[in-house]
Amino acid sequence: MSKSAKNFCSYGPCSPMLTDLYQITMVYGYWKSGKQNDKATFDLFFRKNPFDGEFTIFAGLHECLKYVENFEITDEDIAYLRNVFPKTTEEEFYTFFKQLNTSNVTISSIKEGSVVFPREPMIVVSGPLAVTQLMETTLLNLVNYASLVATNAARFRLAAGQDKTLLEFGLRRAQGPNGGLSASKYAYVGGFDGTSNVMAGMLYGVPIKGTHAHSFVSSFNASEESVIGQLQPSDETKPPQDFYPEVVKWLKELAPLLKVVESETNVGELVGFSAYAVAFPKKFLALVDTYNVLRSGLPNFCAVALALNEFGYKAIGIRLDSGDLAYLSREVRKIFKLVADRFNVKWFASATIVASNDIKEDTLLSLNQQGHSIDAFGIGTHLVTCQKQPALGCVFKLIEISGSPRMKLSEDVAKVSIPGEKNLYRLYGHDGKALVDLMTRSTEDAPKVGSRILCRHPVFENKRAWVSPSRIEKLYKIYWKDGKLQESVASIEDCKSHVVHSLKNFRTDHLRSLNPTPYKVSITDSLYVFMHNLWLDSAPIGELS
C-alpha cells in the first residue's frame, strides 16, 4: 500500500493526490506556460449560510494545517500520474511535480470555531501558483463538511438549550468511516457533549457514551434468570449477593404504586435489565421501549434501580427511542418523583431521561413548545448527514496574481468575487455585540475604535451605513509561513470553547432558527470603488443593434 493510501485510510494527513484531476492538469498548463512560480493568492469562502440560517461555524483549520505540514508527493504518486498523463508528457514536468512543497506558501485564517458569514474569506492562501492551485480541492474538502457539521451541531445546541446534554449517535448513518469520524469530531466542536463513536474517542478525546440496544433486551427470556448471578455491593467489605431476587422483590412492591400488574411486565426485559445492571452497576441506563414504556419498561427499570440502590449504587436513568417523547418523558418524571417520595430515595426524582428516535432541529423546537422532561438527546441521522442541507458550498477563488488583482465576473451577481488581498475586521457596538464584519484592502489603514467608518454592501448595491465601533477585532492570523507553523494549533477543547465564546458575541435574533436577522458583511468605500473600477475594466462592452 502506498504512503498516500495509508495516510488516507488512517485518517491522518491527507495526500496531495486527494484532489481533482483538473488541478493537476492546470499545474501542467502553468508549467508549460512558465507561470508555475507566479505569486498567487486564493480566498476560500462560501456564498450562503446553511440551513436557512444567518451564521456559520468555521471548522477544519486544524486538518488543513496538518495537510500543509505533511504535504509530500511520493514516487508512487508520480508512477500513477505516468499512467494517466499523455505519453508525450515531458520528464522534466514529473521532476518538477515531485518537488512541489509548501515551504513558500503562506496561510492566513480566521480562528477555528469562529462564527463566520458569506463572502468573507475564512482561509487565504498565498504562494507559487502551481502548488496553491493544487491545494484547492483538498482544502475545500477539509473545510466544507467540517464547517457544515459544526454549524448543524451549534444549531441543535441553540434549539435544545444550554442545560441539556447532546450526544452524537450518527456513526451507523454517516457517509463512510471518515465521514463518521469527521461528524463525531465536529459535532463535539459545535456544541455536543459526547459521541457513541469509540474511534473518535481514541483519536480526538471526544467523550464516548452508550448503553445497550433493543437487541440486548430482546435477547433475554424469562427462563434465563439464573444467568444473572451475584453482584458485589459498593461496600466491598460485604460479600457478593444474588441480585435478581432483590429485583423481583422490588417489582412486587412497586406494582400497586405504579398501577401495573406484575405479571404483565415482560420478564425477559426484567432479566435483561438485571443482567446489564450487574455488568455496569455504576452506569445503569436502560432502554425502556422494547415492549411498552409505561406498562413494562419503566416498572422493570424502577425495580432494577431500587435493587441497585440496596447494593449501594445509583442508576443513571432511562432512554426513550419511540413514541410521544414529550408525553412519555413527563409521565416518566412523574413516576420517578412518586418512587422517590414513596421509598425516600431522593436522587431517584432527578434520574436522567434520554431521548432519541430520529431527532431533528425542528423536533427540539417542538418539544420545547410542548413542554418535556428530557435531560439528554441522542441525535444521529439529521446531525451527521445534514439532511436539511447536505453541502456548505465553499469555493476557492483566485483574487490576485503577480501583484495584479483578479475578479470573477458572473451572470449571477452573487457569484462576483471580491478582488485583491484584504484584511477582515469585526466591529462591535456599545452593547458589546458584533455590528458588522468589514473587509478592507490590504494597503488600507486598520479601522480605529470610535472613528466613523463608512461600510458598503460587498456587491454593487447602493446600501451603506456609518459605524462608530466601540471595539474592533482583527480576524486574520498567519498560521503557516516559511515552511512552518506560526501559531499553535488550537486543541479540540479550545475550538469547542471558542464556538461558545464566538456565539455570545452576536445578538440572539441573528442566531434564531426562524426568520433570523441577516448579519451585515461590508467593505470599505475604498475597496468598493476599487472593485467597481476593476469590474468596469474587466467586463466586456456589449453593442445594441
Side-chain angles (χ1 to χ4, degrees):
M1 182 183 289
S2 72
K3 179 177 179 179
S4 300
K6 287 179 181 177
N7 283 341
F8 180 79
C9 294
S10 66
Y11 203 66
C14 290
S15 162
M17 300 298 279
L18 183 65
T19 189
D20 294 306
L21 176 60
Y22 85 153
Q23 307 291 3
I24 303 177
T25 60
M26 283 192 286
V27 171
Y28 179 69
Y30 294 145
W31 179 82
K32 287 280 284 185
S33 304
K35 292 172 58 68
Q36 69 272 22
N37 292 319
D38 289 1
K39 185 191 175 186
T41 302
F42 290 86
D43 284 350
L44 190 155
F45 62 96
F46 60 93
R47 298 187 177 108
K48 189 176 186 299
N49 286 305
F51 313 118
D52 297 321
E54 284 297 335
F55 75 93
T56 299
I57 302 296
F58 168 47
L61 176 62
H62 188 179
E63 296 295 337
C64 290
L65 294 173
K66 281 169 58 180
Y67 158 69
V68 174
E69 190 173 23
N70 292 278
F71 189 99
E72 180 185 1
I73 295 168
T74 68
D75 290 335
E76 294 97 324
D77 299 335
I78 297 299
Y80 177 75
L81 284 183
R82 289 182 189 278
N83 294 322
V84 174
F85 268 55
K87 299 298 182 184
T88 55
T89 303
E90 298 89 334
E91 185 63 30
E92 291 82 1
F93 170 71
Y94 295 119
T95 300
F96 163 76
F97 193 79
K98 174 72 167 60
Q99 293 172 350
L100 284 176
N101 61 74
T102 57
S103 61
N104 293 315
V105 172
T106 299
I107 293 182
S108 300
S109 177
I110 298 173
K111 185 175 181 179
E112 186 164 9
S114 296
V115 175
V116 291
F117 300 95
R119 305 186 68 86
E120 56 188 31
M122 297 178 287
I123 297 177
V124 181
V125 181
S126 298
L129 177 58
V131 68
T132 51
Q133 181 72 71
L134 185 60
M135 295 166 67
E136 173 181 2
T137 298
T138 314
L139 293 178
L140 289 173
N141 178 270
L142 293 172
V143 170
N144 262 310
Y145 184 63
S147 299
L148 189 71
V149 170
T151 305
N152 204 19
R155 291 175 63 90
F156 273 99
R157 168 55 68 196
L158 290 169
Q162 299 301 320
D163 61 331
K164 303 301 179 184
T165 298
L166 294 180
L167 304 172
E168 178 268 313
F169 285 176
L171 179 58
R172 63 189 60 192
R173 304 285 172 80
Q175 290 93 336
N178 284 356
L181 283 168
S182 292
S184 299
K185 177 179 181 178
Y186 293 110
Y188 184 66
V189 168
F192 273 55
D193 299 293
T195 178
S196 63
N197 187 341
V198 177
M199 185 169 282
M202 291 175 61
L203 292 177
Y204 310 125
V206 178
I208 56 173
K209 304 288 183 181
T211 53
H212 63 81
H214 294 105
S215 57
F216 185 88
V217 175
S218 60
S219 73
F220 289 89
N221 60 55
S223 65
E224 294 181 299
E225 63 181 70
S226 61
V227 306
I228 304 305
Q230 294 185 323
L231 175 63
Q232 171 65 54
S234 63
D235 183 351
E236 295 184 359
T237 63
K238 297 180 180 179
Q241 301 174 41
D242 289 335
F243 183 66
Y244 191 68
E246 287 295 314
V247 173
V248 173
K249 180 195 77 174
W250 275 109
L251 184 60
K252 289 180 180 179
E253 193 160 350
L254 280 163
L257 177 68
L258 304 186
K259 299 178 181 178
V260 296
V261 178
E262 179 191 346
S263 61
E264 289 184 358
T265 63
N266 188 286
V267 181
E269 180 180 56
L270 187 67
V271 172
F273 285 177
S274 299
Y276 199 81
V278 169
F280 297 98
K282 295 180 180 179
K283 295 183 177 182
F284 178 59
L285 189 147
L287 179 59
V288 296
D289 69 334
T290 303
Y291 301 109
N292 183 283
V293 173
L294 299 178
R295 293 172 57 192
S296 181
L298 185 58
N300 283 339
F301 164 79
C302 291
V304 175
L306 289 170
L308 278 174
N309 188 67
E310 291 287 307
F311 281 71
Y313 299 103
K314 292 182 180 179
I316 294 175
I318 60 101
R319 176 161 71 96
L320 301 168
D321 193 48
S322 60
D324 186 330
L325 297 179
Y327 166 75
L328 287 173
S329 69
R330 293 194 300 266
E331 291 301 304
V332 168
R333 184 64 69 198
K334 289 179 185 176
I335 296 299
F336 283 176
K337 291 179 178 178
L338 184 64
V339 171
D341 291 341
R342 172 66 177 80
F343 299 107
N344 193 30
V345 187
K346 293 183 179 179
W347 62 265
F348 212 103
S350 57
T352 298
I353 300 173
V354 181
S356 45
N357 189 28
D358 210 28
I359 292 172
K360 60 182 78 172
E361 183 183 349
D362 293 341
T363 306
L364 296 176
L365 296 171
S366 176
L367 286 169
N368 290 340
Q369 290 178 338
Q370 296 174 61
H372 66 85
S373 294
I374 299 167
D375 303 294
F377 295 93
I379 301 172
T381 305
H382 291 278
L383 173 65
V384 304
T385 66
C386 300
Q387 288 189 359
K388 197 172 181 180
Q389 181 173 325
L392 177 57
C394 288
V395 294
F396 191 81
K397 296 301 177 185
L398 178 68
I399 50 94
E400 189 166 299
I401 186 162
S402 300
S404 176
R406 291 293 187 268
M407 181 179 186
K408 178 187 180 297
L409 304 184
S410 175
E411 299 292 332
D412 184 349
V413 175
K415 290 190 174 183
V416 173
S417 61
I418 301 175
E421 294 191 2
K422 299 171 287 292
N423 287 318
L424 180 63
Y425 302 89
R426 185 156 290 164
L427 279 51
Y428 292 83
H430 293 282
D431 62 354
K433 300 297 184 182
L435 284 174
V436 63
D437 283 9
L438 180 69
M439 279 182 270
T440 73
R441 297 186 69 186
S442 61
T443 54
E444 287 187 73
D445 292 336
K448 295 180 174 60
V449 170
S451 61
R452 206 159 172 253
I453 302 165
L454 180 61
C455 299
R456 303 198 65 156
H457 193 280
V459 193
F460 304 128
E461 295 186 25
N462 192 26
K463 295 180 179 179
R464 51 189 179 173
W466 290 102
V467 175
S468 297
S470 63
R471 180 166 74 90
I472 297 174
E473 179 185 7
K474 185 176 181 179
L475 295 183
Y476 289 145
K477 287 185 177 180
I478 296 176
Y479 281 86
W480 178 267
K481 189 176 182 180
D482 299 329
K484 58 185 179 181
L485 289 170
Q486 304 295 311
E487 291 278 339
S488 59
V489 179
S491 69
I492 189 172
E493 295 294 342
D494 289 338
C495 291
K496 181 179 177 67
S497 297
H498 187 61
V499 171
V500 175
H501 170 76
S502 191
L503 285 168
K504 287 180 179 178
N505 287 331
F506 294 88
R507 301 197 315 259
T508 55
D509 57 303
H510 293 307
L511 308 177
R512 66 192 177 203
S513 177
L514 184 62
N515 296 324
T517 303
Y519 181 81
K520 294 178 176 60
V521 175
S522 299
I523 60 178
T524 59
D525 189 57
S526 174
L527 180 52
Y528 181 90
V529 172
F530 167 73
M531 182 177 173
H532 191 265
N533 288 338
L534 184 61
W535 176 76
L536 291 175
D537 291 340
S538 304
I541 301 174
E543 185 173 327
L544 298 177
S545 60

